[in-house]
Amino acid sequence: MLFAREIPAADLVIRRARVLDPVRGIDAVTDVRIDGGVIAQVGDDLPTNAHRVVDAEGTFLAPAFVDPHVHLRTPGREDEETIATGTQAAAAGGYCAILAMPNTDPIVDSAAVLGSLIEGARATAQVPVGFLAAISKGQTGAELTEMGELADAGAAGFTDDGQPVVSAGLMRRALQYSAVARRTVAVHCEEPALSRDGQMHEGDISAQLGFSGYPSVAESLMVERDLALAAYERRPLHLLHLSARESVDALRGAREAGIAASGEVTPHHLVLTEEAVRSLDANLKMNPPLRAAEDRAALVDALLDGTIGAVATDHAPHARHEKEVPWEAAPFGVTGLETAFPVLYTHLVEPGLVPLGTLLERMSAGPARIYGLDEPAIAVGATANLVLIDPEAEWTVEERGFRSRSANSWLLGQRLRSRILLTIAAGRVAFG
């Protein structure tokens, strides 16, 4: 389900890093030796032979990240992003694997389109990338795609991200067919009759700014419907980019009832609230929108207790001219691959809101588990999927520093703590 170009396997020794693997309970200053892309030894004073040696004292080494929600804009908008540039950005952000959404031009709704993407990834992807296929043909919500054929062709899962599956009947059939396809179904939960032309979260600030509102119930109502369908069909379901307290409450209740449901949250929804929109910076315009402080608090709590099992960037590149317009005319979406860990470390870990180990798990093993991917691990015999991070580094987010082809980041000009130094993906040095 994951595809990348061939890169020589790594032979290196990472010396004296703080090695952290929260899933396996590892937290120790030690060495890690990698032979031919495989973790060969973990211990003190390991022999180096002719291997590259990385002096990592003062840093920490962890399982690399997995991003389950990325827009690579290929095919159709290669001016905004390509497989090559998007995966270079992922490598710089500490990711060893990413999953790309199908709302491209054309839509990834046939084996032919999917096959061309896989071929492109094998030629240019810096880190392994998987491609989700559409639930419905053309993402119109009228007719199911050939889910079995797409799964056989290499689809990593199914979603109509960018569009909700409005028809309950079609959503039910998608869940039924997912049992045959043996892939995760992920849903963009939005009731369009309620969200309509909403420009930001509906509330006092939208009223003050004169923007049409996108109420939280437009999300949570569809969350509840889709969870009910998943319960009835006894099928797993993944909820994309949750933003509302009521959505979190519904997901928590479903999980407690034994429904195999999972959810993800973005860095911007974990850090920001609707207050940020007062700046009128179009890089803060996203779908779902930034919500109220109580929603943000609920998302952080859900990340802590495991109700939300994954952090996803929803990396959505846009050309400069598309965002340099009045708020109402700007498209939804922000970039995030290269800043996800530093911004969450700065705003959640350092203030003591989220333990470092929890964040690492929700960015690595958590998302991998949702889609049935191999979980990155620090264990002898495991393929090396590792990220080396300097927690003391401070840097300013600047457009010229991005590997992504687009720079529509809400973090431009902001100072962050921690920096990715080295990324090893599928046993290959992808960055650093």
Side-chain angles (χ1 to χ4, degrees), residues 219-251:
E219 174 183 292
S220 61
L221 187 66
M222 195 65 88
V223 165
E224 292 170 0
R225 188 207 72 174
D226 288 345
L227 288 173
L229 290 170
Y232 188 80
E233 292 298 334
R234 300 182 182 178
R235 294 298 305 156
L237 182 69
H238 181 60
L239 306 177
L240 300 171
H241 47 46
L242 294 176
S243 69
R245 176 183 56 80
E246 298 90 346
S247 300
V248 168
D249 291 344
L251 175 59

PDB file of all heavy atoms in Angstrom, residues 219-251:
ATOM      1  N   GLU A 219     -20.929  19.541  11.624  1.00  0.00           N
ATOM      2  CA  GLU A 219     -19.988  18.419  11.698  1.00  0.00           C
ATOM      3  C   GLU A 219     -20.525  17.296  12.573  1.00  0.00           C
ATOM      4  O   GLU A 219     -20.584  16.131  12.159  1.00  0.00           O
ATOM      5  CB  GLU A 219     -18.642  18.888  12.245  1.00  0.00           C
ATOM      6  CG  GLU A 219     -17.638  17.758  12.494  1.00  0.00           C
ATOM      7  CD  GLU A 219     -16.352  18.277  13.113  1.00  0.00           C
ATOM      8  OE1 GLU A 219     -15.613  18.998  12.409  1.00  0.00           O
ATOM      9  OE2 GLU A 219     -16.084  17.961  14.297  1.00  0.00           O
ATOM     10  N   SER A 220     -20.930  17.638  13.787  1.00  0.00           N
ATOM     11  CA  SER A 220     -21.273  16.602  14.764  1.00  0.00           C
ATOM     12  C   SER A 220     -22.501  15.796  14.363  1.00  0.00           C
ATOM     13  O   SER A 220     -22.607  14.600  14.670  1.00  0.00           O
ATOM     14  CB  SER A 220     -21.485  17.224  16.150  1.00  0.00           C
ATOM     15  OG  SER A 220     -22.549  18.155  16.148  1.00  0.00           O
ATOM     16  N   LEU A 221     -23.435  16.418  13.659  1.00  0.00           N
ATOM     17  CA  LEU A 221     -24.621  15.692  13.219  1.00  0.00           C
ATOM     18  C   LEU A 221     -24.236  14.564  12.253  1.00  0.00           C
ATOM     19  O   LEU A 221     -24.741  13.439  12.359  1.00  0.00           O
ATOM     20  CB  LEU A 221     -25.596  16.642  12.539  1.00  0.00           C
ATOM     21  CG  LEU A 221     -26.968  16.075  12.167  1.00  0.00           C
ATOM     22  CD1 LEU A 221     -27.765  15.727  13.421  1.00  0.00           C
ATOM     23  CD2 LEU A 221     -27.741  17.084  11.319  1.00  0.00           C
ATOM     24  N   MET A 222     -23.319  14.850  11.335  1.00  0.00           N
ATOM     25  CA  MET A 222     -22.884  13.833  10.390  1.00  0.00           C
ATOM     26  C   MET A 222     -21.981  12.803  11.071  1.00  0.00           C
ATOM     27  O   MET A 222     -21.996  11.613  10.711  1.00  0.00           O
ATOM     28  CB  MET A 222     -22.161  14.472   9.213  1.00  0.00           C
ATOM     29  CG  MET A 222     -21.980  13.552   8.024  1.00  0.00           C
ATOM     30  SD  MET A 222     -23.536  13.065   7.231  1.00  0.00           S
ATOM     31  CE  MET A 222     -23.759  14.400   6.063  1.00  0.00           C
ATOM     32  N   VAL A 223     -21.203  13.234  12.054  1.00  0.00           N
ATOM     33  CA  VAL A 223     -20.413  12.281  12.845  1.00  0.00           C
ATOM     34  C   VAL A 223     -21.330  11.247  13.486  1.00  0.00           C
ATOM     35  O   VAL A 223     -21.083  10.033  13.421  1.00  0.00           O
ATOM     36  CB  VAL A 223     -19.584  13.017  13.925  1.00  0.00           C
ATOM     37  CG1 VAL A 223     -19.070  12.037  14.976  1.00  0.00           C
ATOM     38  CG2 VAL A 223     -18.416  13.765  13.287  1.00  0.00           C
ATOM     39  N   GLU A 224     -22.405  11.719  14.096  1.00  0.00           N
ATOM     40  CA  GLU A 224     -23.328  10.814  14.772  1.00  0.00           C
ATOM     41  C   GLU A 224     -24.007   9.866  13.786  1.00  0.00           C
ATOM     42  O   GLU A 224     -24.174   8.674  14.063  1.00  0.00           O
ATOM     43  CB  GLU A 224     -24.361  11.622  15.552  1.00  0.00           C
ATOM     44  CG  GLU A 224     -23.755  12.360  16.744  1.00  0.00           C
ATOM     45  CD  GLU A 224     -24.707  13.348  17.372  1.00  0.00           C
ATOM     46  OE1 GLU A 224     -25.857  13.471  16.875  1.00  0.00           O
ATOM     47  OE2 GLU A 224     -24.319  14.007  18.352  1.00  0.00           O
ATOM     48  N   ARG A 225     -24.374  10.383  12.608  1.00  0.00           N
ATOM     49  CA  ARG A 225     -24.995   9.514  11.605  1.00  0.00           C
ATOM     50  C   ARG A 225     -24.036   8.422  11.150  1.00  0.00           C
ATOM     51  O   ARG A 225     -24.397   7.232  11.077  1.00  0.00           O
ATOM     52  CB  ARG A 225     -25.442  10.340  10.391  1.00  0.00           C
ATOM     53  CG  ARG A 225     -26.256   9.534   9.393  1.00  0.00           C
ATOM     54  CD  ARG A 225     -26.148  10.074   7.965  1.00  0.00           C
ATOM     55  NE  ARG A 225     -24.839   9.810   7.361  1.00  0.00           N
ATOM     56  CZ  ARG A 225     -24.554  10.079   6.087  1.00  0.00           C
ATOM     57  NH1 ARG A 225     -25.466  10.656   5.304  1.00  0.00           N
ATOM     58  NH2 ARG A 225     -23.345   9.815   5.609  1.00  0.00           N
ATOM     59  N   ASP A 226     -22.824   8.803  10.828  1.00  0.00           N
ATOM     60  CA  ASP A 226     -21.879   7.825  10.298  1.00  0.00           C
ATOM     61  C   ASP A 226     -21.452   6.813  11.354  1.00  0.00           C
ATOM     62  O   ASP A 226     -21.247   5.631  11.051  1.00  0.00           O
ATOM     63  CB  ASP A 226     -20.667   8.547   9.719  1.00  0.00           C
ATOM     64  CG  ASP A 226     -20.989   9.257   8.409  1.00  0.00           C
ATOM     65  OD1 ASP A 226     -22.052   8.961   7.825  1.00  0.00           O
ATOM     66  OD2 ASP A 226     -20.188  10.101   7.968  1.00  0.00           O
ATOM     67  N   LEU A 227     -21.355   7.245  12.599  1.00  0.00           N
ATOM     68  CA  LEU A 227     -21.060   6.292  13.672  1.00  0.00           C
ATOM     69  C   LEU A 227     -22.212   5.312  13.853  1.00  0.00           C
ATOM     70  O   LEU A 227     -21.987   4.116  14.117  1.00  0.00           O
ATOM     71  CB  LEU A 227     -20.789   7.038  14.976  1.00  0.00           C
ATOM     72  CG  LEU A 227     -19.457   7.795  15.051  1.00  0.00           C
ATOM     73  CD1 LEU A 227     -19.402   8.635  16.319  1.00  0.00           C
ATOM     74  CD2 LEU A 227     -18.277   6.826  15.007  1.00  0.00           C
ATOM     75  N   ALA A 228     -23.443   5.794  13.709  1.00  0.00           N
ATOM     76  CA  ALA A 228     -24.597   4.901  13.821  1.00  0.00           C
ATOM     77  C   ALA A 228     -24.586   3.856  12.706  1.00  0.00           C
ATOM     78  O   ALA A 228     -24.883   2.671  12.938  1.00  0.00           O
ATOM     79  CB  ALA A 228     -25.894   5.712  13.780  1.00  0.00           C
ATOM     80  N   LEU A 229     -24.229   4.271  11.497  1.00  0.00           N
ATOM     81  CA  LEU A 229     -24.137   3.324  10.389  1.00  0.00           C
ATOM     82  C   LEU A 229     -23.018   2.312  10.607  1.00  0.00           C
ATOM     83  O   LEU A 229     -23.169   1.115  10.336  1.00  0.00           O
ATOM     84  CB  LEU A 229     -23.916   4.083   9.074  1.00  0.00           C
ATOM     85  CG  LEU A 229     -25.107   4.893   8.561  1.00  0.00           C
ATOM     86  CD1 LEU A 229     -24.681   5.785   7.403  1.00  0.00           C
ATOM     87  CD2 LEU A 229     -26.247   3.967   8.138  1.00  0.00           C
ATOM     88  N   ALA A 230     -21.890   2.775  11.118  1.00  0.00           N
ATOM     89  CA  ALA A 230     -20.774   1.869  11.395  1.00  0.00           C
ATOM     90  C   ALA A 230     -21.160   0.857  12.466  1.00  0.00           C
ATOM     91  O   ALA A 230     -20.798  -0.326  12.387  1.00  0.00           O
ATOM     92  CB  ALA A 230     -19.548   2.663  11.837  1.00  0.00           C
ATOM     93  N   ALA A 231     -21.907   1.309  13.474  1.00  0.00           N
ATOM     94  CA  ALA A 231     -22.361   0.392  14.521  1.00  0.00           C
ATOM     95  C   ALA A 231     -23.320  -0.640  13.942  1.00  0.00           C
ATOM     96  O   ALA A 231     -23.227  -1.843  14.253  1.00  0.00           O
ATOM     97  CB  ALA A 231     -23.037   1.175  15.643  1.00  0.00           C
ATOM     98  N   TYR A 232     -24.230  -0.201  13.100  1.00  0.00           N
ATOM     99  CA  TYR A 232     -25.219  -1.116  12.524  1.00  0.00           C
ATOM    100  C   TYR A 232     -24.550  -2.157  11.630  1.00  0.00           C
ATOM    101  O   TYR A 232     -24.913  -3.340  11.658  1.00  0.00           O
ATOM    102  CB  TYR A 232     -26.251  -0.323  11.727  1.00  0.00           C
ATOM    103  CG  TYR A 232     -27.407  -1.165  11.256  1.00  0.00           C
ATOM    104  CD1 TYR A 232     -28.452  -1.484  12.115  1.00  0.00           C
ATOM    105  CD2 TYR A 232     -27.447  -1.664   9.960  1.00  0.00           C
ATOM    106  CE1 TYR A 232     -29.511  -2.271  11.695  1.00  0.00           C
ATOM    107  CE2 TYR A 232     -28.507  -2.453   9.525  1.00  0.00           C
ATOM    108  CZ  TYR A 232     -29.533  -2.759  10.400  1.00  0.00           C
ATOM    109  OH  TYR A 232     -30.582  -3.549   9.990  1.00  0.00           O
ATOM    110  N   GLU A 233     -23.571  -1.735  10.845  1.00  0.00           N
ATOM    111  CA  GLU A 233     -22.892  -2.649   9.927  1.00  0.00           C
ATOM    112  C   GLU A 233     -21.714  -3.371  10.583  1.00  0.00           C
ATOM    113  O   GLU A 233     -21.121  -4.257   9.980  1.00  0.00           O
ATOM    114  CB  GLU A 233     -22.395  -1.879   8.698  1.00  0.00           C
ATOM    115  CG  GLU A 233     -23.505  -1.355   7.810  1.00  0.00           C
ATOM    116  CD  GLU A 233     -24.354  -2.456   7.213  1.00  0.00           C
ATOM    117  OE1 GLU A 233     -23.849  -3.590   7.056  1.00  0.00           O
ATOM    118  OE2 GLU A 233     -25.544  -2.202   6.914  1.00  0.00           O
ATOM    119  N   ARG A 234     -21.394  -2.964  11.810  1.00  0.00           N
ATOM    120  CA  ARG A 234     -20.261  -3.554  12.541  1.00  0.00           C
ATOM    121  C   ARG A 234     -18.976  -3.462  11.717  1.00  0.00           C
ATOM    122  O   ARG A 234     -18.232  -4.426  11.572  1.00  0.00           O
ATOM    123  CB  ARG A 234     -20.563  -5.012  12.934  1.00  0.00           C
ATOM    124  CG  ARG A 234     -21.777  -5.146  13.833  1.00  0.00           C
ATOM    125  CD  ARG A 234     -22.025  -6.578  14.244  1.00  0.00           C
ATOM    126  NE  ARG A 234     -23.229  -6.681  15.072  1.00  0.00           N
ATOM    127  CZ  ARG A 234     -23.718  -7.820  15.542  1.00  0.00           C
ATOM    128  NH1 ARG A 234     -23.110  -8.973  15.259  1.00  0.00           N
ATOM    129  NH2 ARG A 234     -24.815  -7.826  16.290  1.00  0.00           N
ATOM    130  N   ARG A 235     -18.721  -2.272  11.207  1.00  0.00           N
ATOM    131  CA  ARG A 235     -17.549  -2.022  10.390  1.00  0.00           C
ATOM    132  C   ARG A 235     -16.731  -0.878  10.984  1.00  0.00           C
ATOM    133  O   ARG A 235     -17.285   0.061  11.571  1.00  0.00           O
ATOM    134  CB  ARG A 235     -17.962  -1.640   8.955  1.00  0.00           C
ATOM    135  CG  ARG A 235     -18.655  -2.749   8.176  1.00  0.00           C
ATOM    136  CD  ARG A 235     -17.721  -3.954   8.000  1.00  0.00           C
ATOM    137  NE  ARG A 235     -16.457  -3.566   7.383  1.00  0.00           N
ATOM    138  CZ  ARG A 235     -15.328  -4.256   7.533  1.00  0.00           C
ATOM    139  NH1 ARG A 235     -15.299  -5.351   8.275  1.00  0.00           N
ATOM    140  NH2 ARG A 235     -14.229  -3.849   6.934  1.00  0.00           N
ATOM    141  N   PRO A 236     -15.396  -0.925  10.837  1.00  0.00           N
ATOM    142  CA  PRO A 236     -14.554   0.184  11.309  1.00  0.00           C
ATOM    143  C   PRO A 236     -14.828   1.454  10.513  1.00  0.00           C
ATOM    144  O   PRO A 236     -15.223   1.403   9.345  1.00  0.00           O
ATOM    145  CB  PRO A 236     -13.129  -0.322  11.045  1.00  0.00           C
ATOM    146  CG  PRO A 236     -13.246  -1.798  10.878  1.00  0.00           C
ATOM    147  CD  PRO A 236     -14.612  -2.038  10.298  1.00  0.00           C
ATOM    148  N   LEU A 237     -14.604   2.585  11.157  1.00  0.00           N
ATOM    149  CA  LEU A 237     -14.811   3.879  10.508  1.00  0.00           C
ATOM    150  C   LEU A 237     -13.819   4.878  11.087  1.00  0.00           C
ATOM    151  O   LEU A 237     -13.616   4.933  12.308  1.00  0.00           O
ATOM    152  CB  LEU A 237     -16.236   4.381  10.751  1.00  0.00           C
ATOM    153  CG  LEU A 237     -16.605   5.706  10.085  1.00  0.00           C
ATOM    154  CD1 LEU A 237     -16.675   5.537   8.571  1.00  0.00           C
ATOM    155  CD2 LEU A 237     -17.935   6.239  10.616  1.00  0.00           C
ATOM    156  N   HIS A 238     -13.211   5.656  10.201  1.00  0.00           N
ATOM    157  CA  HIS A 238     -12.269   6.695  10.641  1.00  0.00           C
ATOM    158  C   HIS A 238     -12.846   8.069  10.336  1.00  0.00           C
ATOM    159  O   HIS A 238     -13.316   8.328   9.224  1.00  0.00           O
ATOM    160  CB  HIS A 238     -10.926   6.527   9.935  1.00  0.00           C
ATOM    161  CG  HIS A 238      -9.905   7.533  10.350  1.00  0.00           C
ATOM    162  ND1 HIS A 238      -9.482   7.662  11.656  1.00  0.00           N
ATOM    163  CD2 HIS A 238      -9.229   8.482   9.629  1.00  0.00           C
ATOM    164  CE1 HIS A 238      -8.589   8.626  11.731  1.00  0.00           C
ATOM    165  NE2 HIS A 238      -8.416   9.141  10.525  1.00  0.00           N
ATOM    166  N   LEU A 239     -12.811   8.954  11.327  1.00  0.00           N
ATOM    167  CA  LEU A 239     -13.349  10.306  11.209  1.00  0.00           C
ATOM    168  C   LEU A 239     -12.209  11.293  10.959  1.00  0.00           C
ATOM    169  O   LEU A 239     -11.295  11.415  11.774  1.00  0.00           O
ATOM    170  CB  LEU A 239     -14.093  10.698  12.483  1.00  0.00           C
ATOM    171  CG  LEU A 239     -15.193   9.725  12.948  1.00  0.00           C
ATOM    172  CD1 LEU A 239     -15.787  10.201  14.269  1.00  0.00           C
ATOM    173  CD2 LEU A 239     -16.284   9.592  11.884  1.00  0.00           C
ATOM    174  N   LEU A 240     -12.278  11.970   9.830  1.00  0.00           N
ATOM    175  CA  LEU A 240     -11.232  12.907   9.442  1.00  0.00           C
ATOM    176  C   LEU A 240     -11.357  14.238  10.181  1.00  0.00           C
ATOM    177  O   LEU A 240     -12.437  14.653  10.568  1.00  0.00           O
ATOM    178  CB  LEU A 240     -11.307  13.158   7.933  1.00  0.00           C
ATOM    179  CG  LEU A 240     -11.122  11.932   7.031  1.00  0.00           C
ATOM    180  CD1 LEU A 240     -11.451  12.293   5.588  1.00  0.00           C
ATOM    181  CD2 LEU A 240      -9.703  11.395   7.125  1.00  0.00           C
ATOM    182  N   HIS A 241     -10.233  14.883  10.384  1.00  0.00           N
ATOM    183  CA  HIS A 241     -10.063  16.249  10.912  1.00  0.00           C
ATOM    184  C   HIS A 241     -11.226  16.731  11.800  1.00  0.00           C
ATOM    185  O   HIS A 241     -11.953  17.672  11.452  1.00  0.00           O
ATOM    186  CB  HIS A 241      -9.807  17.248   9.793  1.00  0.00           C
ATOM    187  CG  HIS A 241     -10.699  17.168   8.594  1.00  0.00           C
ATOM    188  ND1 HIS A 241     -12.066  17.042   8.664  1.00  0.00           N
ATOM    189  CD2 HIS A 241     -10.421  17.223   7.271  1.00  0.00           C
ATOM    190  CE1 HIS A 241     -12.581  17.038   7.459  1.00  0.00           C
ATOM    191  NE2 HIS A 241     -11.600  17.129   6.594  1.00  0.00           N
ATOM    192  N   LEU A 242     -11.369  16.119  12.954  1.00  0.00           N
ATOM    193  CA  LEU A 242     -12.413  16.534  13.893  1.00  0.00           C
ATOM    194  C   LEU A 242     -12.109  17.921  14.459  1.00  0.00           C
ATOM    195  O   LEU A 242     -10.955  18.283  14.691  1.00  0.00           O
ATOM    196  CB  LEU A 242     -12.536  15.523  15.031  1.00  0.00           C
ATOM    197  CG  LEU A 242     -13.036  14.131  14.623  1.00  0.00           C
ATOM    198  CD1 LEU A 242     -13.023  13.193  15.813  1.00  0.00           C
ATOM    199  CD2 LEU A 242     -14.430  14.207  14.008  1.00  0.00           C
ATOM    200  N   SER A 243     -13.182  18.695  14.715  1.00  0.00           N
ATOM    201  CA  SER A 243     -12.969  20.058  15.208  1.00  0.00           C
ATOM    202  C   SER A 243     -13.887  20.446  16.357  1.00  0.00           C
ATOM    203  O   SER A 243     -13.632  21.454  17.022  1.00  0.00           O
ATOM    204  CB  SER A 243     -13.161  21.058  14.062  1.00  0.00           C
ATOM    205  OG  SER A 243     -14.526  21.123  13.666  1.00  0.00           O
ATOM    206  N   ALA A 244     -14.947  19.697  16.602  1.00  0.00           N
ATOM    207  CA  ALA A 244     -15.992  20.152  17.521  1.00  0.00           C
ATOM    208  C   ALA A 244     -16.107  19.269  18.764  1.00  0.00           C
ATOM    209  O   ALA A 244     -15.941  18.052  18.691  1.00  0.00           O
ATOM    210  CB  ALA A 244     -17.338  20.189  16.797  1.00  0.00           C
ATOM    211  N   ARG A 245     -16.425  19.884  19.878  1.00  0.00           N
ATOM    212  CA  ARG A 245     -16.588  19.157  21.141  1.00  0.00           C
ATOM    213  C   ARG A 245     -17.653  18.083  21.018  1.00  0.00           C
ATOM    214  O   ARG A 245     -17.475  16.962  21.513  1.00  0.00           O
ATOM    215  CB  ARG A 245     -16.958  20.152  22.255  1.00  0.00           C
ATOM    216  CG  ARG A 245     -17.257  19.495  23.601  1.00  0.00           C
ATOM    217  CD  ARG A 245     -17.690  20.526  24.629  1.00  0.00           C
ATOM    218  NE  ARG A 245     -18.831  21.308  24.174  1.00  0.00           N
ATOM    219  CZ  ARG A 245     -20.109  20.890  24.214  1.00  0.00           C
ATOM    220  NH1 ARG A 245     -20.389  19.667  24.681  1.00  0.00           N
ATOM    221  NH2 ARG A 245     -21.084  21.664  23.797  1.00  0.00           N
ATOM    222  N   GLU A 246     -18.763  18.390  20.372  1.00  0.00           N
ATOM    223  CA  GLU A 246     -19.840  17.409  20.248  1.00  0.00           C
ATOM    224  C   GLU A 246     -19.402  16.191  19.428  1.00  0.00           C
ATOM    225  O   GLU A 246     -19.836  15.071  19.687  1.00  0.00           O
ATOM    226  CB  GLU A 246     -21.059  18.056  19.592  1.00  0.00           C
ATOM    227  CG  GLU A 246     -21.661  19.209  20.395  1.00  0.00           C
ATOM    228  CD  GLU A 246     -21.058  20.554  20.033  1.00  0.00           C
ATOM    229  OE1 GLU A 246     -20.000  20.592  19.355  1.00  0.00           O
ATOM    230  OE2 GLU A 246     -21.644  21.590  20.433  1.00  0.00           O
ATOM    231  N   SER A 247     -18.541  16.409  18.447  1.00  0.00           N
ATOM    232  CA  SER A 247     -18.007  15.299  17.648  1.00  0.00           C
ATOM    233  C   SER A 247     -17.149  14.384  18.507  1.00  0.00           C
ATOM    234  O   SER A 247     -17.220  13.150  18.416  1.00  0.00           O
ATOM    235  CB  SER A 247     -17.184  15.832  16.476  1.00  0.00           C
ATOM    236  OG  SER A 247     -17.952  16.649  15.634  1.00  0.00           O
ATOM    237  N   VAL A 248     -16.330  15.001  19.349  1.00  0.00           N
ATOM    238  CA  VAL A 248     -15.481  14.232  20.268  1.00  0.00           C
ATOM    239  C   VAL A 248     -16.341  13.408  21.219  1.00  0.00           C
ATOM    240  O   VAL A 248     -16.061  12.223  21.464  1.00  0.00           O
ATOM    241  CB  VAL A 248     -14.542  15.177  21.042  1.00  0.00           C
ATOM    242  CG1 VAL A 248     -13.869  14.449  22.193  1.00  0.00           C
ATOM    243  CG2 VAL A 248     -13.507  15.777  20.109  1.00  0.00           C
ATOM    244  N   ASP A 249     -17.378  14.024  21.755  1.00  0.00           N
ATOM    245  CA  ASP A 249     -18.263  13.309  22.681  1.00  0.00           C
ATOM    246  C   ASP A 249     -18.904  12.104  21.994  1.00  0.00           C
ATOM    247  O   ASP A 249     -19.012  11.020  22.587  1.00  0.00           O
ATOM    248  CB  ASP A 249     -19.355  14.246  23.208  1.00  0.00           C
ATOM    249  CG  ASP A 249     -18.819  15.329  24.128  1.00  0.00           C
ATOM    250  OD1 ASP A 249     -17.679  15.192  24.604  1.00  0.00           O
ATOM    251  OD2 ASP A 249     -19.543  16.325  24.339  1.00  0.00           O
ATOM    252  N   ALA A 250     -19.316  12.282  20.729  1.00  0.00           N
ATOM    253  CA  ALA A 250     -19.941  11.183  20.002  1.00  0.00           C
ATOM    254  C   ALA A 250     -18.945  10.064  19.731  1.00  0.00           C
ATOM    255  O   ALA A 250     -19.276   8.876  19.868  1.00  0.00           O
ATOM    256  CB  ALA A 250     -20.523  11.703  18.683  1.00  0.00           C
ATOM    257  N   LEU A 251     -17.728  10.413  19.358  1.00  0.00           N
ATOM    258  CA  LEU A 251     -16.703   9.402  19.104  1.00  0.00           C
ATOM    259  C   LEU A 251     -16.350   8.649  20.381  1.00  0.00           C
ATOM    260  O   LEU A 251     -16.234   7.421  20.373  1.00  0.00           O
ATOM    261  CB  LEU A 251     -15.454  10.062  18.517  1.00  0.00           C
ATOM    262  CG  LEU A 251     -14.244   9.134  18.312  1.00  0.00           C
ATOM    263  CD1 LEU A 251     -14.582   7.976  17.385  1.00  0.00           C
ATOM    264  CD2 LEU A 251     -13.053   9.929  17.784  1.00  0.00           C
TER     265      LEU A 251
END
